[in-house]
Amino acid sequence: MNTNFNNIDMNTWARAETYRYFTETVSTVIYSVNVTMDITILRNALKIKKLKFFPAYLYLITRAMERHQEFLMAIKDNILGYWNYRTPFYPRFHEEDKTITFLWTEYNGDFKIFYKNYTSDINQYGKSHGIMLPKGAPPSNNYIISCVPWFSFNSLSMQLQNAQNYYAPIFESSRFTKTNGIITMPLSITVNHAAIDGYHIKLFLDDLQWLMNNPKEWIEGLKY
């Protein structure tokens, strides 16, 4: 996919005054929202197709952001704007020595292509130890996304330093919980208030849950 950066016109942008308030009047406000996602339908669909959950998680978060300018915002050449999509930048855990390295996989709206690209990245770089970025630095439109599968959290808060011009959201999930046949996943979303309000998170979560509940829309026909 081609990466495009779109400048924001501060004279017509509805959130211009809100943005100025959080960047000029008060100190940078970074906050985390912790929610619980119902992944029952998604988990079952992936099991039927024998597909891994983590690349699907990367894909769905990235795809859900596509419709929301607020989640795509950035500063480029000292100009505020937004990308047309983001690139997931994620840790790779090494079971042998309990260390991590960081990888990234170029997003593609076609899940089949993204899944194959992810698999290729893991096969080529996934066993590299001692180098934090075995594939090289991620592109400028990256965002951080991770999962801690060893425990389930109720709340998680990120503390970012020097984050004044950092507008990419950060996602962290944790171990699933199954209760009465319903599988849930904790999800923490950390954002810069200059870019994202609570209402924008609500809209994003609505789209994300819809995608999780309707896997046939993006997974149908895959055979691995």
Side-chain angles (χ1 to χ4, degrees):
M1 294 179 63
N2 294 324
T3 307
N4 297 321
F5 186 80
N6 308 280
N7 296 343
I8 289 178
D9 184 348
M10 297 297 288
N11 295 317
T12 60
W13 185 36
R15 289 193 76 255
E17 288 305 311
T18 304
Y19 175 81
R20 292 190 181 100
Y21 178 79
F22 282 111
T23 56
E24 299 175 7
T25 305
V26 300
S27 299
T28 302
V29 178
I30 304 294
Y31 71 100
S32 296
V33 173
N34 296 274
V35 299
T36 300
M37 305 300 299
D38 183 341
I39 60 168
T40 310
I41 296 174
L42 171 64
R43 186 72 168 150
N44 291 337
L46 292 173
K47 279 189 174 183
I48 291 172
K49 293 290 185 179
K50 297 182 179 179
L51 296 170
K52 296 180 179 178
F53 182 86
F54 189 71
Y57 164 62
L58 299 182
Y59 171 83
L60 292 175
I61 293 288
T62 310
R63 176 167 169 174
M65 281 195 288
E66 266 192 301
R67 295 184 56 189
H68 303 282
Q69 172 184 312
E70 296 79 14
F71 282 77
L72 305 172
M73 286 177 56
I75 296 287
K76 181 181 179 183
D77 299 327
N78 295 318
I79 296 175
L80 179 68
Y82 58 96
W83 304 102
N84 57 323
Y85 68 92
R86 287 198 179 277
T87 296
F89 182 44
Y90 54 90
R92 172 68 172 174
F93 181 72
H94 303 293
E95 185 64 41
E96 302 85 353
D97 57 8
K98 315 306 180 191
T99 62
I100 62 171
T101 52
F102 285 93
L103 295 178
W104 53 274
T105 297
E106 183 73 18
Y107 172 68
N108 192 292
D110 185 325
F111 176 68
K112 182 176 182 180
I113 295 175
F114 178 81
Y115 194 95
K116 288 183 176 180
N117 289 343
Y118 169 86
T119 302
S120 176
D121 287 334
I122 293 300
N123 290 339
Q124 185 171 356
Y125 305 105
K127 294 184 179 180
S128 299
H129 288 236
I131 302 175
M132 288 303 295
L133 300 171
K135 188 181 175 180
S140 299
N141 67 336
N142 79 86
Y143 76 98
I144 298 171
I145 180 169
S146 184
C147 175
V148 285
W150 306 283
F151 58 87
S152 181
F153 58 69
N154 294 320
S155 178
L156 182 147
S157 178
M158 294 282 186
Q159 303 298 320
L160 302 181
Q161 301 296 323
N162 302 317
Q164 183 175 2
N165 291 327
Y166 186 80
Y167 299 135
I170 300 173
F171 296 88
E172 184 83 50
S173 62
S174 67
R175 189 173 63 189
F176 310 152
T177 299
K178 187 173 184 178
T179 305
N180 297 325
I182 303 300
I183 306 171
T184 58
M185 179 185 74
L187 180 66
S188 173
I189 308 172
T190 301
V191 299
N192 189 320
H193 211 339
I196 299 174
D197 297 329
Y199 180 68
H200 304 125
I201 295 176
K202 182 267 185 192
L203 295 179
F204 164 82
L205 289 173
D206 286 348
D207 282 346
L208 178 61
Q209 189 65 70
W210 188 92
L211 288 168
M212 289 180 170
N213 289 346
N214 294 274
K216 288 184 179 181
E217 294 292 325
W218 49 272
I219 201 175
E220 192 67 33
L222 285 181
K223 295 181 180 179
Y224 286 87

